[in-house]
C-alpha cells in the first residue's frame, strides 16, 4: 500500500495485515525481533525468515533495555523487504515530539503501518547510563498524538498535516501484574481512550491472574474497544524462570511452571554443571527448551479461551526458531490469509 | 530548599591549584541547612585544604567567611575586601551563589566547592530527597500533591509505567514509585477518578527547555516609567 489514504476510505484505520486479521475475527499472532547491535542487515533478514508465515506481524524493538541497536524503522524496512509486516516500536525515552512525528512520517512513507507506543526502559539499565533522557511526552500522549495525526490530520501542535497523513494501526502495552495492580485495568482504559487500537501485554505465565485482570477489562468494556494480545514467551531454563519471577517487575511465574522446567532437566539433576560434558549440557538444554515450548503452547491455548483475548504476542527474542513450533503446536498454523 | 553536596577534597584541591591565597565562602541559607556549605563546613573545608596543601609540600593560605545569603548581590558587599585579597574564591554556595559572586566581583576568579544537586527536603536526619523540578507549570493539584515530573524517573504524566514494584521504582529499590504514591493518595482522598483524565503533553516552554528563565514584576521594579 502506498500509504494510508486508501485505508481511510475502506473503513480500516491503517489496513495493515494485523488490523485486517483482527477485524476479520481471526486470533492474531505477532512476534518480535530485536535488532542487532550493529549495522548487520543479514541478522534481521535471517530472523525475519524464521518468523515469516507464522506471525501476522512482528514487533521491532526500539533500543530495547536502553541498549543501542539498529533503529526500529531501519530494521523494519528490512523486514518489509523480506515480505513480513513490522510493528514499529517507538519509545519516548530517546526522542521528543518533533523527532517522533518526523520518524513516523518517514516510516509511513516507507510502508510501515503498525506502531507500538511505549514509554521506554530507563537508560539506567542500558549501555549508556550517563545519557540524558527525553520523556517529552509519555506513551499515552504518544498514542493520542499518533491517533490524531491519522484521524484529525494534525500534528501535535494542532497544525494541519497538508498532504498524506501517516496512518498507523496504533498499539500500546499493558503490564497487568505490575504495581499498583488494581490501577492496571484503568491505565489500560486510559490508553484505549487515548486511541489504542490494539494492546500487547507483558509476558503472561500466570493464567488465573491474567483471567482476573481480564474480568475487570471486560467489566470496563475495553475488550470491545480494543484488541488485546496476550504476551507469551517460551521459558529457556528453570534458571530463567526463577530470574524473571524474582527480578522482573510485573512478571508472575507460578512455581508449578518452574517445577515443570526443573523436572524436564531431572535426568541431569544429580550432576554438577562442572562435571557435565558438552553433549550432556546440550541435551539438558534441549530438554528444557522442549518443555518451555510445550508450556508456551499450553499457555496460548488457555489464554485463547479467555473472553476478550484477541491474539497472542509471542516474545522469543534471540530464540526466533521457537516461534514456528509454538504457533504450530497451538493450532494457529498456517496463518489465515486476509 | 536547594540541596547540595561537597565536591571531594581532591577535586577542590585541583580547583584551587596555583593560588597563594584562597577564600572559602560559605552561605547561610539552604546549604547550611543541608550541611554542605555553612559556617561549620567552610571552616572544615578551609582547614582541610590548608592541611592537605601543606602535606603536599606547597602550602596555600586558605581563609574562610560565610555570608548570610550568597545568592543576592547585596549580601556579598561585606566580603569585598577578602575577595580582592584572594587569588581564588572557593564558593560553598549553590550554583547560584557561585555565579552571584562572579557577577558581583568581575575581577575575582570563583570556583565551585559544591555540586548543586536538587530542590528537595530532608526526609530523615541525614537524608534529603528531590521534590521539585522547577518546571514552571505546577501540576501538583492534579496529582494529589506528589510531583511526577520530579519524582517519576520518566516524568510520566499518565503513569504508572510497568516498572513499579512493591512501591518502588525499577531503577532503584531506594526510589519510591511516584505513581504508586499518587494512586494511593488519590484513592485515599476518593479522587481516583481524576487520574482517569488524560493529561495532555506538557508545555515545557516554562521549564529550562524554553531557554533561561526570567521573571519581571513591573509592580516591584524601581525603574521610573516613561509617560
Amino acid at each position: 500500500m502506498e500509504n494510508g489514504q486508501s485505508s481511510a476510505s475502506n473503513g480500516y484505520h491503517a489496513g495493515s495485515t494485523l488490523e485486517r486479521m483482527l477485524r476479520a475475527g481471526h486470533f492474531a499472532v505477532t512476534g518480535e525481533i530485536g535488532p542487532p547491535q550493529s549495522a548487520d542487515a543479514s541478522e534481521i533478514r535471517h530472523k525475519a525468515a524464521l518468523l515469516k508465515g507464522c506471525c501476522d506481524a512482528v514487533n521491532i524493538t526500539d533500543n530495547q533495555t536502553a541498549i543501542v541497536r539498529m533503529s526500529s524503522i531501519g530494521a523494519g524496512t528490512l523486514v518489509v523487504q523480506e515480505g513480513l509486516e513490522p510493528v514499529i516500536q517507538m519509545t519516548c525515552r530517546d526522542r521528543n515530539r518533533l523527532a517522533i512525528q518526523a520518524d513516523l512520517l518517514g516510516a509511513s512513507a516507507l510502508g510501515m503501518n503498525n506502531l507500538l507506543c511505549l514509554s521506554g526502559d530507563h537508560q539506567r539499565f542500558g549501555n549508556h547510563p550517563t545519557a540524558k533522557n527525553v520523556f517529552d511526552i509519555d506513551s499515552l500522549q504518544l498514542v493520542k498524538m499518533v491517533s490524531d495525526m491519522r484521524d484529525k490530520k494534525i500534528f501535535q501542535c494542532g497544525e494541519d498535516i497538508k498532504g498524506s497523513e501517516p496512518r498507523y494501526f496504533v498499539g500500546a502495552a499493558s503490564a497487568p501484574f505490575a504495581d499498583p495492580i488494581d490501577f492496571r485495568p484503568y491505565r489500560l482504559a486510559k490508553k484505549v481512550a487515548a486511541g489504542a487500537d490494539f494492546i500487547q501485554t507483558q509476558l503472561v505465565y500466570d493464567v488465573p491472574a491474567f483471567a482476573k485482570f481480564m474480568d475487570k477489562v471486560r467489566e470496563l468494556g475495553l475488550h470491545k474497544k480494543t484488541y488485546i494480545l496476550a504476551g507469551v514467551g517460551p521459558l529457556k531454563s528453570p534458571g530463567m524462570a526463577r530470574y524473571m519471577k524474582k527480578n522482573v517487575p510485573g512478571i508472575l511465574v507460578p512455581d508449578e511452571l518452574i517445577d515443570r522446567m526443573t523436572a524436564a532437566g531431572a535426568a541431569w539433576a544429580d550432576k554438577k554443571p562442572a562435571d557435565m560434558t558438552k553433549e550432556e549440557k546440550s541435551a539438558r538444554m534441549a530438554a528444557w527448551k522442549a518443555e518451555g515450548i510445550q508450556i508456551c503452547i499450553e499457555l496460548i491455548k488457555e489464554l485463547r479461551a479467555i473472553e476478550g483475548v484477541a491474539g497472542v504476542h509471542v516474545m522469543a527474542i534471540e530464540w526466533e526458531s521457537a516461534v514456528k513450533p509454538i504457533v504450530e503446536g497451538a493450532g494457529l498454523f498456517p496463518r489465515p490469509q486476509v | 530548599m536547594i540541596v547540595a553536596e561537597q565536591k571531594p577534597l581532591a577535586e577542590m584541591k585541583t580547583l584551587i591549584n596555583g593560588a597563594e591565597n584562597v577564600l572559602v565562602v560559605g552561605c547561610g541559607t539552604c546549604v547550611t541547612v543541608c550541611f554542605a556549605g555553612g559556617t561549620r563546613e567552610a571552616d572544615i573545608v578551609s582547614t582541610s585544604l590548608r592541611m592537605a596543601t601543606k602535606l603536599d609540600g606547597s602550602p596555600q593560605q586558605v581563609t574562610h567567611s560565610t555570608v548570610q545569603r550568597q545568592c543576592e548581590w547585596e549580601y556579598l558587599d561585606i566580603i569585598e575586601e577578602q575577595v580582592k585579597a584572594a587569588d581564588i574564591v572557593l564558593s560553598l554556595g549553590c550554583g547560584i551563589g557561585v555565579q552571584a559572586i562572579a557577577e558581583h566581583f568581575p575581577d575575582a576568579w570563583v570556583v565551585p566547592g559544591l555540586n548543586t544537586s536538587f530542590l528537595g527536603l530532608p526526609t530523615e536526619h541525614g537524608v534529603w530527597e528531590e521534590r521539585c523540578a522547577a518546571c514552571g507549570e505546577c501540576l501538583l493539584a492534579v496529582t494529589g500533591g506528589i510531583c511526577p515530573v520530579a519524582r517519576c524517573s520518566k516524568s510520566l504524566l499518565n503513569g504508572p509505567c510497568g516498572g513499579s514494584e512493591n512501591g518502588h521504582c525499577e531503577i532503584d529499590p531506594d526510589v519510591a514509585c511516584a505513581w504508586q504514591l499518587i494512586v494511593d493518595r488519590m484513592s485515599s482522598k476518593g479522587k481516583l477518578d481524576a487520574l482517569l483524565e488524560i493529561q495532555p503533553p506538557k508545555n515545557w516552554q516554562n521549564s529550562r527547555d524554553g531557554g533561561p528563565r526570567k521573571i519581571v514584576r513591573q509592580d516591584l521594579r524601581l525603574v521610573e516609567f516613561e509617560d
Side-chain angles (χ1 to χ4, degrees):
Chain A
M1 187 171 49
E2 183 59 31
N3 62 35
Q5 279 177 326
S6 53
S7 56
S9 54
N10 61 19
Y12 288 116
H13 281 154
S16 65
T17 303
L18 180 59
E19 181 181 15
R20 284 184 281 122
M21 193 69 73
L22 288 162
R23 286 276 286 274
H26 298 301
F27 192 76
V29 178
T30 53
E32 191 156 306
I33 288 178
Q37 291 177 254
S38 72
D40 189 356
S42 64
E43 200 173 321
I44 294 288
R45 295 191 198 284
H46 171 69
K47 288 178 177 179
L50 289 171
L51 299 179
K52 192 177 174 182
C54 37
C55 298
D56 306 322
V58 288
N59 289 34
I60 316 287
T61 58
D62 176 17
N63 283 345
Q64 76 195 65
T65 61
I67 287 170
V68 174
R69 293 166 185 279
M70 185 187 292
S71 73
S72 180
I73 293 168
T77 306
L78 297 169
V79 165
V80 170
Q81 287 169 6
E82 295 305 301
L84 194 55
E85 183 172 284
V87 177
I88 298 306
Q89 293 194 181
M90 178 63 75
T91 71
C92 301
R93 178 194 57 228
D94 307 330
R95 296 172 187 81
N96 69 6
R97 61 191 86 176
L98 280 85
I100 292 174
Q101 291 177 102
D103 279 350
L104 292 180
L105 292 179
S108 179
L110 286 167
M112 286 164 243
N113 49 13
N114 299 303
L115 180 75
L116 184 72
C117 303
L118 301 165
S119 299
D121 294 320
H122 196 273
Q123 76 277 6
R124 160 103 49 129
F125 300 109
N127 61 356
H128 290 73
T130 60
K132 189 178 198 301
N133 60 37
V134 181
F135 297 118
D136 172 27
I137 57 175
D138 63 26
S139 58
L140 224 130
Q141 294 161 346
L142 174 57
V143 168
K144 176 90 168 59
M145 181 172 83
V146 186
S147 303
D148 285 351
M149 288 173 90
R150 180 191 68 202
D151 299 335
K152 297 183 182 169
K153 282 194 78 165
I154 54 171
F155 290 108
Q156 191 277 325
C157 63
E159 279 177 19
D160 290 339
I161 298 172
K162 298 184 180 79
S164 304
E165 75 280 17
R167 298 198 66 83
Y168 287 101
F169 189 49
V170 181
S174 175
F177 314 123
D179 289 323
I181 196 160
D182 292 341
F183 191 69
R184 292 295 159 181
Y186 296 103
R187 181 155 151 86
L188 176 56
K190 280 182 83 167
K191 290 188 172 183
V192 173
D197 301 315
F198 72 97
I199 298 292
Q200 290 172 321
T201 78
Q202 177 58 289
L203 288 165
V204 179
Y205 291 102
D206 189 332
V207 177
F210 185 72
K212 205 174 147 199
F213 168 79
M214 287 302 296
D215 286 344
K216 188 69 190 174
V217 166
R218 284 194 307 275
E219 190 187 313
L220 295 171
L222 303 175
H223 64 308
K224 306 260 188 206
K225 297 176 185 166
T226 195
Y227 297 105
I228 297 167
L229 279 63
V232 293
L235 295 165
K236 262 185 188 166
S237 65
M240 173 201 181
R242 279 191 296 268
Y243 176 85
M244 286 201 299
K245 180 190 175 86
K246 189 165 173 261
N247 298 306
V248 186
I251 295 188
L252 304 178
V253 186
D255 288 335
E256 181 213 329
L257 294 189
I258 297 175
D259 293 345
R260 274 183 65 180
M261 289 301 290
T262 308
W268 301 272
D270 50 357
K271 290 203 170 184
K272 288 180 185 154
D275 301 334
M276 288 170 72
T277 64
K278 207 175 162 188
E279 288 70 28
E280 285 174 319
K281 279 185 182 171
S282 48
R284 185 179 65 171
M285 179 58 79
W288 279 340
K289 283 182 160 185
E291 185 67 359
I293 287 174
Q294 180 55 34
I295 289 171
C296 193
I297 290 167
E298 292 169 27
L299 286 169
I300 293 175
K301 288 178 175 171
E302 291 171 40
L303 290 166
R304 196 178 176 182
I306 299 173
E307 188 190 347
V309 176
V312 280
H313 177 52
V314 186
M315 289 173 265
I317 291 237
E318 302 310 326
W319 188 13
E320 287 79 4
S321 59
V323 176
K324 194 174 181 194
I326 289 169
V327 175
E328 272 184 324
L332 298 168
F333 189 87
R335 302 300 306 143
Q337 295 302 306
V338 290
Chain B
M1 68 166 104
I2 293 171
V3 182
E5 271 188 307
Q6 276 182 15
K7 285 181 179 287
L9 194 69
E11 187 180 345
M12 290 194 214
K13 265 173 63 188
T14 309
L15 292 172
I16 61 164
N17 195 25
E20 268 182 44
N21 294 301
V22 177
L23 174 65
V24 176
V25 183
C27 175
T29 51
C30 311
V31 294
T32 291
V33 187
C34 67
F35 303 94
T39 305
R40 192 170 147 266
E41 290 76 29
D43 190 2
I44 295 169
V45 164
S46 54
T47 306
S48 304
L49 287 171
R50 270 199 305 274
M51 288 168 63
T53 55
K54 193 174 171 187
L55 285 172
D56 289 348
S58 50
Q60 289 168 278
Q61 287 292 323
V62 186
T63 56
H64 69 90
S65 184
T66 298
V67 296
Q68 194 181 335
R69 197 180 294 174
Q70 245 183 66
C71 60
E72 286 194 54
W73 292 327
E74 63 186 278
Y75 288 90
L76 300 175
D77 288 335
I78 58 161
I79 55 166
E80 184 171 5
E81 292 309 315
Q82 291 161 279
V83 169
K84 275 184 183 163
D87 303 310
I88 285 184
V89 176
L90 178 70
S91 164
L92 294 190
C94 68
I96 310 165
V98 177
Q99 294 179 71
I101 293 175
E103 287 166 25
H104 201 52
F105 306 113
D107 293 336
W109 181 247
V110 193
V111 293
L114 305 185
N115 290 318
T116 307
S117 305
F118 51 79
L119 306 181
L121 52 74
T123 50
E124 58 180 277
H125 204 72
V127 178
W128 290 266
E129 290 183 37
E130 184 165 17
R131 287 293 181 268
C132 178
C135 73
E137 191 186 74
C138 193
L139 292 167
L140 286 168
V142 294
T143 52
I146 293 151
C147 181
V149 179
R151 299 178 68 182
C152 167
S153 300
K154 301 178 187 175
S155 294
L156 303 181
L157 300 190
N158 293 284
C161 78
S164 176
E165 192 171 38
N166 298 325
H168 66 249
C169 171
E170 67 180 345
I171 72 156
D172 189 334
D174 282 339
V175 173
C177 169
W179 275 97
Q180 175 79 59
L181 298 174
I182 292 167
V183 168
D184 288 349
R185 184 155 168 87
M186 294 298 267
S187 285
S188 74
K189 298 280 174 206
K191 292 179 189 250
L192 204 56
D193 282 358
L195 291 185
L196 304 184
E197 298 267 321
I198 297 169
Q199 287 303 313
K202 188 170 167 61
N203 174 8
W204 295 108
Q205 260 186 126
N206 302 317
S207 183
R208 242 299 301 170
D209 307 271
R213 291 169 279 178
K214 182 176 181 173
I215 291 171
V216 179
R217 285 273 304 269
Q218 295 296 359
D219 58 325
L220 296 175
R221 296 187 83 188
L222 298 175
V223 293
E224 286 182 25
F225 295 100
E226 291 176 21
D227 289 322

